[in-house]
């Protein structure tokens, strides 16, 4: 398996524009996580899915953020409208949630810059 | 809720020095403990893990022992190299006492800089 695949790797957009980040988890993994990483706040969990169902989105900062997982092999994180404070690196990770003793596999991240 | 606290960095060392990065945790039940490493421009990747008390995880010369009595999982390496320069994250995950779903919980990360 190629691992968790995220696209794009880099995104530069203007304030007010819609941004869509994409993630393909590892085949067979039943958990998918979206994280945001910044210098100020470190690694923040935004939302996670189990078997394509959103379980906890309490980390999503505002209604401008939304995430979907239409099937087991694809998830999106959308920001509409984007703001400069959304600039960060966004990571997708997947895992097998068997009792919690398995690792999370991370993608390489999408570096988002909102100008 | 569950939490992980690790020492703030950056930690700056000379090559071949001894490394310790402290990590303590708070959790219900019996979590598994992890160290992840993040190299510049990349995602986090697992470095080592331990799934029960007194277990020692090891990889690439790094090791950490799951200490339930002190709720700690300190990362150590006897002789660091320049290539070890990265950000290190301590993490835990564990099912609830009822066996429910889990969420990986990460510390803030500790930056390690190794000079030649």
């Amino acid at each position: 398996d190629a691992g968790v695949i995220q696209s794009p790797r880099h995104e530069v957009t203007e304030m007010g524009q819609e941004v869509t980040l994409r993630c393909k988890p590892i085949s067979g993994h039943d958990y998918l996580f979206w994280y945001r990483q910044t210098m100020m706040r470190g690694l923040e969990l935004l939302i996670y899915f189990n078997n394509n169902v959103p379980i906890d989105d309490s980390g999503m900062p505002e209604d401008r953020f939304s995430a979907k997982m239409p099937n087991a092999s694809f998830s999106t994180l959308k920001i509409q409208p984007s703001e400069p404070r959304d600039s960060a690196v966004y990571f997708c990770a997947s895992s097998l949630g068997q009792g919690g003793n398995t690792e999370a596999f991370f993608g390489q991240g999408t570096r988002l810059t909102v100008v | 809720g569950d939490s992980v606290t690790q020492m703030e960095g950056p930690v700056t060392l000379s090559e071949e020095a001894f490394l310790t990065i402290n990590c303590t945790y708070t959790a219900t039940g019996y979590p598994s403990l992890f160290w992840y490493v993040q190299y510049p421009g990349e995602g986090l990747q697992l470095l080592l893990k331990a799934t029960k008390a007194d277990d020692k995880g090891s990889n690439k010369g790094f090791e950490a022992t799951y200490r339930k009595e002190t709720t700690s999982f300190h990362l150590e390496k006897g002789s660091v190299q320049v290539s070890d320069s990265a950000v290190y994250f301590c993490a835990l995950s564990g099912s609830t006492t009822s066996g429910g779903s889990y969420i990986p919980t990460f510390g803030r990360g500790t930056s390690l800089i190794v000079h030649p």
Side-chain angles (χ1 to χ4, degrees):
Chain A
D1 200 313
V4 176
I5 300 173
Q6 292 186 245
S7 64
R9 288 294 309 277
H10 302 275
E11 177 79 37
V12 180
T13 191
E14 291 185 348
M15 184 174 68
Q17 297 298 305
E18 177 180 296
V19 175
T20 299
L21 311 181
R22 297 173 175 79
C23 174
K24 181 180 187 305
I26 292 173
S27 177
H29 282 188
D30 55 350
Y31 281 83
L32 184 139
F33 307 88
W34 280 101
Y35 290 90
R36 178 172 68 176
Q37 185 178 38
T38 60
M39 289 294 291
M40 290 293 293
R41 296 183 175 176
L43 198 63
E44 302 174 274
L45 177 65
L46 301 178
I47 184 172
Y48 77 96
F49 296 82
N50 179 213
N51 292 321
N52 313 339
V53 176
I55 302 302
D56 185 351
D57 66 353
S58 60
M60 297 284 260
E62 302 172 31
D63 291 344
R64 298 184 296 106
F65 286 69
S66 63
K68 295 182 180 179
M69 192 166 185
N71 57 61
S73 59
F74 185 65
S75 177
T76 59
L77 178 67
K78 184 178 294 185
I79 308 172
Q80 165 63 17
S82 59
E83 296 184 3
R85 60 194 166 123
D86 301 331
S87 299
V89 181
Y90 291 81
F91 288 104
C92 175
S94 70
S95 71
L96 285 170
Q98 297 168 345
N101 64 355
T102 56
E103 65 183 283
F105 290 80
F106 281 75
Q108 291 193 295
T110 295
R111 181 173 294 277
L112 173 64
T113 303
V114 183
V115 298
Chain B
D2 295 353
S3 67
V4 174
T5 303
Q6 58 182 109
M7 59 190 291
E8 292 198 19
V11 174
T12 304
L13 296 172
S14 298
E15 204 164 27
E16 299 184 1
F18 184 85
L19 168 71
T20 299
I21 300 178
N22 291 336
C23 170
T24 57
Y25 68 90
T26 302
T28 55
Y30 302 96
S32 295
L33 302 176
F34 305 82
W35 277 101
Y36 288 80
V37 59
Q38 183 180 30
Y39 298 104
E42 298 184 11
L44 281 70
Q45 56 186 275
L46 181 69
L47 178 60
L48 54 84
K49 71 178 182 182
T51 58
K52 61 182 188 296
D54 299 325
D55 269 3
K56 178 185 284 187
S58 61
N59 186 27
K60 300 180 181 179
F62 292 89
E63 58 183 34
T65 301
Y66 189 164
R67 301 287 188 199
K68 193 171 189 300
E69 64 275 13
T70 54
T71 61
S72 65
F73 193 55
H74 304 321
L75 182 68
E76 297 182 336
K77 186 175 185 182
S79 177
V80 294
Q81 306 298 312
V82 172
S83 57
D84 293 328
S85 298
V87 181
Y88 292 82
F89 292 86
C90 187
L92 67 82
S93 70
S95 57
T96 65
T97 54
S98 63
S101 63
Y102 84 101
I103 305 172
T105 300
F106 290 86
R108 288 293 306 268
T110 302
S111 175
L112 171 65
I113 302 169
V114 181
H115 294 295

